[in-house]
């Protein structure tokens, strides 16, 4: 997947928004401020949240590592070209979105899917 393919996929998820922060980071979030993916504007990297139980398995894979400052919250980072196939990457991004949405209040969750 290209960087733009990733961005289009993230923005197609329910309630997803994009913002630009920290002088060069494209932030994909839900409910205004709950991040589920980060993309370097120069297209060099992609970071997102993974399941706690799967975190160590992901960071052991070639081309994937713990995300700086966010690893304690089970975020991984990968450089381009992404070391995962399109289907696997889309599945992980969708799961990241689900993990973040699941922490939101129920009324906000319901609003995202209307």
């Amino acid at each position: 997947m290209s960087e733009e393919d990733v961005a289009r996929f993230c923005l197609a998820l329910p309630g997803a928004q994009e913002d630009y922060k920290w002088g060069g980071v494209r932030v994909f979030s839900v409910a205004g401020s709950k991040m589920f993916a980060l993309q370097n504007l120069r297209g060099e990297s992609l970071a997102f949240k993974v399941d706690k139980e799967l975190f160590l398995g992901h960071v052991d894979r070639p081309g994937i590592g713990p995300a700086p400052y966010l690893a304690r919250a089970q975020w991984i980072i990968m450089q381009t070209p992404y070391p995962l196939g399109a289907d696997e990457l889309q599945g992980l991004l969708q799961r990241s979105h689900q993990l973040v949405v699941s922490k939101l209040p129920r009324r906000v969750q319901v609003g995202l899917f209307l």
Side-chain angles (χ1 to χ4, degrees), residues 66-80:
Y69 309 108
L70 295 170
R72 68 178 179 265
Q74 292 77 47
W75 280 62
I76 60 173
I77 191 167
M78 57 187 72
Q79 307 300 317
T80 54

Side-chain angles (χ1 to χ4, degrees), residues 5-111:
D5 292 336
V6 168
R8 269 192 301 279
F9 180 80
C10 287
L11 290 172
L13 295 169
Q17 304 166 338
E18 91 180 304
D19 192 10
Y20 297 91
K21 297 183 181 189
W22 309 302
V25 179
R26 194 174 191 177
V27 178
F28 300 98
S29 60
V30 291
S33 63
K34 303 297 182 183
M35 303 181 306
F36 69 90
L38 303 171
Q39 192 176 48
N40 183 292
L41 282 180
R42 291 175 290 194
E44 298 168 350
S45 64
L46 173 66
F48 52 90
K49 187 172 185 61
V50 294
D51 287 291
K52 185 176 188 174
E53 304 81 30
L54 302 176
F55 176 75
L56 291 177
H58 285 298
V59 297
D60 279 346
R61 296 172 70 175
I64 302 175
Y69 309 108
L70 295 170
R72 68 178 179 265
Q74 292 77 47
W75 280 62
I76 60 173
I77 191 167
M78 57 187 72
Q79 307 300 317
T80 54
Y82 304 130
L84 305 175
D87 290 339
E88 185 177 11
L89 184 55
Q90 287 177 350
L92 289 171
L93 288 167
Q94 186 170 16
R95 182 63 184 150
S96 177
H97 177 267
Q98 291 169 348
L99 289 168
V100 171
V101 168
S102 72
K103 299 291 184 186
L104 296 172
R106 179 60 83 198
R107 63 181 166 70
V108 176
Q109 289 180 30
V110 171

